[in-house]
Every structure is written in C-alpha cells, then in structure tokens.
Amino acid sequence: MTSETTPAFAPDAIVVGAGLAGLVATYELVQAGRSVLVLDQENRNNLGGQAFWSLGGLFLVDSPEQRRMGIKDSVDLALQDWRGSAAFDRLEDQDLWGEQWARAYVAWAAGEKRDYLHQLGLRFLPLVGWAERGGSAEGHGNSVPRFHLTWGIGPEVVRVFAEPVVAAEQAGLVRFGFRHRVDELVTSDGAVVGVRGAVLSADDDLPRGEKSSRDEVDTFELRAPAVIVTSGGIGHNYDLIRKHWPTERLGPAPEHLIAGVPAHVDGRMLQISEDAGAAVVNRDRLWAYTEGIHNWDPIWPDHGIRILPGPSSLWLDANGKRLPAPNFPGFDTMGSMREILSTGHDYSWFVLTQKVIEKEFALSGSEQNPDMTGKDIRVFLKSRLAKGAPRPVEAFKEHGEDFAVADTIEELVEGMNKLARGPQLDTEDVRRIVEAHDRELDNDFSKDLQLMAVANARRSRTDKLVRVAKPHAFLDPENGPLVAVRLNILTRKTLGGIQTDLDSRVLDTSGTPIPGLYAAGEVAGFGGGGVHGYNALEGTFLGGCIFSGRAAGRAIAAG
C-alpha cells in the first residue's frame, strides 16, 4: 500500500481512472460532501488523462457565441444531425441506452452545459468552428458550426475540475492512489464492493504522456460502497483495434497505424468490467482519423498528430485518384475512411499550396497550440491572423516525415513517390487533377462540388476570417510552393463500451443495474455504451466525459 492510500481512509466511492470523466465524477461527489479514492495506473503528472492533450473543443447548441456569429441553431436541428450521424440501428439492445443518452446530451448542450462550465471558470473563443460538415441534410454531419474552442484548450478543461478536486484532497475528502493498476472488480452477492490490483513501480518524475514501467511491487484490495470505472478506451491497443475493426463496414484494418493517445490507453477495464458481469456493447464502433501525421518530436510511442483541415486541399487516394464527393477535408471521417481503405492501402494524400496551409491547417494536441494554452490574446492574434502559418505547422512542414514541398508538379510528385508505401504516382495524372481544379476558378460559379463547399464555408464568419483560404489557382507560383502530405490512419476514440443507464449505472447483459458499479467517459462509450452511434459530430468527446461523469457523481451522491 502506498502512502497515498491508507486503510484508515474509508471512501464513499472509488474512481478507477484519473482522466476527465473521473475528475468530474469526483468533483460532483466532493461537492456533496462525499469522500473519494481515485486510482490510476499512471503517475500524478498524468492527472486529467487524454483531455489534457486535446484541442478543447466542445459541442454547444444555440449558444451566445453562435448567435453572435449569425448562426441559427436549435435542439431540433442538432438532434436531426446527431441521429443522422449516429444511425442507431440496434435499438432493441446495444443502442437502447445510447439513443437515450444522445437525446439527453443534445438537450444539455442546448441548455445547462454552457452555464455549468462557465461557473467553473471555463471560457470560449468567440469563433465557432465547423467540424464534420457531412453531405446531406438527414445524413451525417453538422448542419451549422458548433465546435466551441475553450480559451486555454485541453489543459484548461482539466484545470477547472482538477483544482477543486486537489483542494478537496488537501481538505481530506479525496485520496489519490497513483501507480495503482486495477486488475479485478471485487463482487459480493451480485454487487461490486471494491477493487483488487497491483501497485506499479514508482515513476514519479516521468513526464506526462511518456510510456511508464509495468513492474509490480505490491498488491492491494480496497473497498467502497460504489466503484466508478472511468478508465478510457482502447486507442493505443493496436491488437484490440484490429480485432474489433469493422471490416465489412470500413474495409480492411490498417497495417500501419499511428497513435493519437499515449501507451497507457489500453482498454483493460472493458474486459475486467465484463468479467464482473457488465454488458459491453458496440465494440465494432470506433473513431480513427484519416488525416494523421507522424509527430517529428514524439512524446509517446508511435505518436501521431491529426491535421484539422479546412476544405480546400485536394484529397487523393494512394493511387492518385481524387476522393469522390462528399469526401472533402473535414466533411465525413468514416466515409473518407471507407474510400481510402477500399484501395487496399492505408494512406492517402493532401495536395495544396502554401496559402492553404497558412490559413487552413490546424493541429490537434494542446502542445501544438501554445498560443491558446498560454491564454495570451496578443500571442494568439499574432499567430492566427499574421501572414504565414503558425510555427508548429511550419515545423511539421520542415521536419515532418509525411511532407513534400516543391515548386513544380514534377518535383512534388517525385517527393510524394519517395514517401509512398504503395503505388508510384503518375505526374501527368496529378497534373491533370490540379489543372482541372484551377480552370474551375475562371468563373464565380463551378460544377466542382468541393469548390461549391469552399464557397459555402466562406459564408461562415469564422471560416472566412481564420479557417478557409480564398480560392486560388494551385499552379500559380505566387500561391506556392506546392505541398503534399501523406495522411495516415490515426487511432483516437472508442465509440462503444460499457452499457449504462442515464445515471451511469452499469447494466448487466439482462439490462439490470449491477449494484455498486458505475461507468463514465470513453469506457462507457461516453454514455450508454455508445452515445455517438457510428459517427461523432466532434466537440462531443470532452463533453461526453463531463456529462457522464457528472451523472455518475450526482447519482452516487444522491444515493
């Protein structure tokens, strides 16, 4: 037993996982005067988990920020988009609770969510982003911009919950057991009454995100009236990802994967919870990105970064063919995944110009956006509005292994072929695609659906100001140099998980709550075992952790 967890401490609840969902659940419990023991297999430097590394985007509906930008939104429109994206088709069993969580979440995003976070000190940038734009009114995608960036992004989202929890630790209501890996849920008479596991060797000085030791130095058994599992998903467990990859729906599992989350995101608690009787559903639903690039300055193994693209880059598959509409950058992640993998290869290409990269490339990861994590408005405005791309983007263009930069098509394709993991591209084929794009710009109208989408995007004040480049000829030297980016499949989120009711109580395979057991965050499919269905609208992952963690904490406190 470590010094941070002593037998004299008898908690009202044990929280397994010190990520965002765990922090929110703990926050709600201590607000009600309950005592909490928080266990995590990593050290204290990892408090807040994956949320710390995030861009901090949150899905809100009909917010003041939207209204100020002239965006008309409503619960009905948001629910139409959510249902069209989720495509719930297992309502008899696996989607039974996920669909109910979806309705509750959209209502919360249009109501209490903003005030709840505002009271904690979280603030939002006035510019509302447009993620996952989709392709039809009733299908997948956001009909309007809903992606609200927090001022301070991921670290700030963590801070507003971590600070009161740490204050509760100092007051004696909270204890942390870091480097405590839970290996079993303890049951008695059908109820979960505690946890067992191993104490791992101390890695107190290991920086956040770096791979830690799994050497065991002791064992533990701890008990409490309630256990909340908030341990995250399977994002760095390639074996589980490939095992559950939906080949019939998306195509063959990628051979080459890069990880958008650290090595400790292993999904172990899914099986451990199932062994205790929990229903684990929708295992074949996941959220991997198609626009991943290898981090030239990695923190964890296979560290990948996602490009958050504007809509102007030409998207080619591994064979050099343009992806069909509406598979444009930022429109339909899973639809584009299907098209890319249908070629038999697990990568694709963006072809663009310096003007596009300067205006449209943003990078996921709080460490890639120091102007926002630092909350310095002057630095932010200088970085985002001044000429040239933000420094982290330029650093990837200069050092990243996935980038080719050239003044001519011939040189660009030569660089692409050096990076290719499959077919060698034909220069004339690529030239023809780019020239056809450029000819469409001679008029104010076009038959090219991507150029129509760009024109529509620039009707959004945010997109026109900071996210979407003015249409221009790619082969005009004044707009260069030309840039090509090899795009890899980047693992990120688990959309299925432990099935829960609206109080985050874990259900067994008959649909009955397991006494004493709760789950929240990604391990619960962000609520109900799959609140997103098949597709995410973005800005919903952090919010799902907050909403489900809040439900768990409040339910236990009320009980």
Side-chain angles (χ1 to χ4, degrees), residues 226-439:
V227 174
I228 314 175
V229 178
T230 61
S231 55
I234 66 172
H236 205 116
N237 190 328
Y238 292 169
D239 289 339
L240 276 182
I241 290 169
R242 292 190 175 105
K243 178 181 178 181
H244 298 297
W245 188 270
T247 55
E248 292 185 3
R249 190 171 76 247
L250 294 181
E255 293 183 13
H256 183 86
L257 289 169
I258 54 177
V261 293
H264 62 257
V265 184
D266 53 23
R268 294 179 67 257
M269 286 304 300
L270 286 167
Q271 186 62 54
I272 291 168
S273 299
E274 192 170 40
D275 291 342
V280 178
V281 297
N282 298 312
R283 291 181 184 270
D284 63 325
R285 296 180 185 170
L286 49 82
W287 195 248
Y289 288 112
T290 53
E291 311 98 332
I293 52 177
H294 297 81
N295 194 343
W296 65 273
D297 187 18
I299 296 172
W300 54 79
D302 300 327
H303 189 173
I305 296 293
R306 185 205 174 193
I307 297 171
L308 286 75
S312 299
S313 298
L314 292 172
W315 203 343
L316 311 184
D317 65 24
N319 295 310
K321 307 297 185 184
R322 192 173 175 189
L323 266 60
N327 296 298
F328 311 133
F331 275 65
D332 184 349
T333 293
M334 290 295 106
S336 299
M337 181 79 74
R338 281 192 296 273
E339 289 296 331
I340 290 165
L341 295 180
S342 71
T343 66
H345 304 285
D346 54 16
Y347 68 99
S348 58
W349 301 98
F350 276 170
V351 174
L352 57 147
T353 66
Q354 180 67 22
K355 281 191 175 179
V356 172
I357 201 172
E358 289 178 0
K359 194 74 173 280
E360 298 194 5
F361 270 33
L363 300 174
S364 66
S366 54
E367 79 282 9
Q368 303 297 329
N369 295 274
D371 54 341
M372 286 192 280
T373 54
K375 297 197 295 184
D376 187 320
I377 190 64
R378 289 175 297 180
V379 173
F380 172 74
L381 291 174
K382 182 179 180 181
S383 173
R384 304 291 160 160
L385 299 180
K387 184 177 175 56
R391 280 183 292 176
V393 174
E394 281 293 338
F396 266 89
K397 195 181 79 172
E398 180 179 354
H399 303 294
E401 66 180 79
D402 298 297
F403 286 73
V405 182
D407 292 323
T408 68
I409 283 287
E410 291 83 0
E411 294 170 345
L412 187 73
V413 174
E414 181 181 355
M416 295 167 74
N417 283 333
K418 290 179 180 178
L419 300 177
R421 293 196 297 268
Q424 294 291 286
L425 304 180
D426 183 88
T427 300
E428 294 309 311
D429 287 345
V430 177
R431 186 197 308 277
R432 186 179 65 253
I433 291 170
V434 179
E435 286 179 344
H437 165 275
D438 289 359
R439 289 191 193 100

